Amino acid sequence: PEAAKEKGGDEKLPLHWAVYGTDWIKATEVEGESKEAGAKVIYEGREMVVSRGVDSDGDLKLKPAVSDEVILALLQAYPKAAKEKDGGG
C-alpha cells in the first residue's frame, strides 16, 4: 500500500487495491497453497487472485478478489481517480 500512496496519492489507494491489481511482484511475497493463475492468495494482508502465474524470474501478478458490485461502488465513490487511471483526466 505504501507504494500505491507514493504513485497515486491517498484518493487512489482504494481503487488501486480493489480494482487494478499489482505489477509483477516476487512470488515469495505472496502467501497461499498455489501460485497458479486463478488461485486465491494473501498479499500484504489482502485476499487477491493470481492473474499471471509465476514466470521464469519468480514473479507473478495479482488482481483483486472482489465482486463487480464492490468495484462499481468504488468507481462511483472515487470518480476522479477512475478517470485519471483511464487517462481521461
Side-chain angles (χ1 to χ4, degrees):
E2 292 303 315
K5 285 182 186 177
E6 291 173 15
K7 289 182 184 177
D10 290 337
E11 183 175 300
K12 292 183 186 176
L13 186 60
L15 285 175
H16 174 79
W17 282 104
V19 179
Y20 302 120
T22 68
D23 289 325
W24 290 98
I25 58 172
K26 293 290 177 194
T28 55
E29 297 179 35
V30 175
E31 299 175 31
E33 291 183 27
S34 174
K35 308 272 173 66
E36 295 182 17
K40 288 189 178 182
V41 297
I42 303 295
Y43 176 63
E44 295 189 353
R46 296 183 54 93
E47 185 176 75
M48 305 284 281
V49 175
V50 177
S51 59
R52 299 284 305 265
V54 180
D55 67 6
S56 60
D57 294 326
D59 298 335
L60 52 72
K61 283 188 174 187
L62 304 175
K63 64 182 181 179
V66 297
S67 68
D68 291 340
E69 292 81 17
V70 171
I71 292 172
L72 181 58
L74 283 167
L75 289 172
Q76 290 172 342
Y78 297 93
K80 181 179 177 186
K83 286 179 184 176
E84 289 175 6
K85 174 64 179 174
D86 293 335

